[in-house]
Amino acid sequence: MRGAILALDVGEARIGVARAERGSMLAFGRGAIERTSLRADIAAVQELAEREGATLIVVGLPVRTDGRDSAQAKRVRNFADGLQKAGLQTELEDERFTTQLANRQLIEGGAPRRERRRKGRIDELSATLILETYLRRIGS
């Protein structure tokens, strides 16, 4: 199958976005979408998927360390269901610890504090980690 893959790190305030080509093992951040409402957020993802030529949306699922759904995981499942109802092919990917890993990567990479605090930067990097994890798992 051809086309791009998008990954989403769905948070309360923002949705981090990353993109990769099918067959690649590298993902690249595409910024963040500011959350407004479920309907508007789904429309924004639809528009982005069309613009990027994405045929699959990988949605990070924030499960608890024991594997059970957290309250946020239930909201993310609802969001992913909305994307599917809108006609977008979606898959869920375990995203445990991606926010902490993203923050650590920024610190170890020498990013200044203001860059680490820039709204959406952690969300974007988390989406990139989610997508690279997915790509490794499927052996793209």
Side-chain angles (χ1 to χ4, degrees), residues 52-109:
E52 295 282 349
T55 56
L56 174 65
I57 311 295
V58 176
V59 181
L61 185 64
V63 293
R64 293 180 176 154
T65 54
D66 65 5
R68 293 183 300 137
D69 274 4
S70 63
Q72 181 64 12
K74 291 174 185 171
R75 289 189 286 274
V76 168
R77 284 185 191 278
N78 184 51
F79 186 82
D81 288 344
L83 292 173
Q84 286 183 326
K85 288 176 184 170
L88 296 170
Q89 181 185 352
T90 63
E91 287 192 37
L92 297 171
E93 182 70 25
D94 185 342
E95 71 156 59
R96 279 179 269 192
F97 311 115
T98 56
T99 300
Q100 294 90 332
L101 287 171
N103 198 35
R104 186 174 344 151
Q105 281 187 5
L106 287 173
I107 291 168
E108 290 174 359

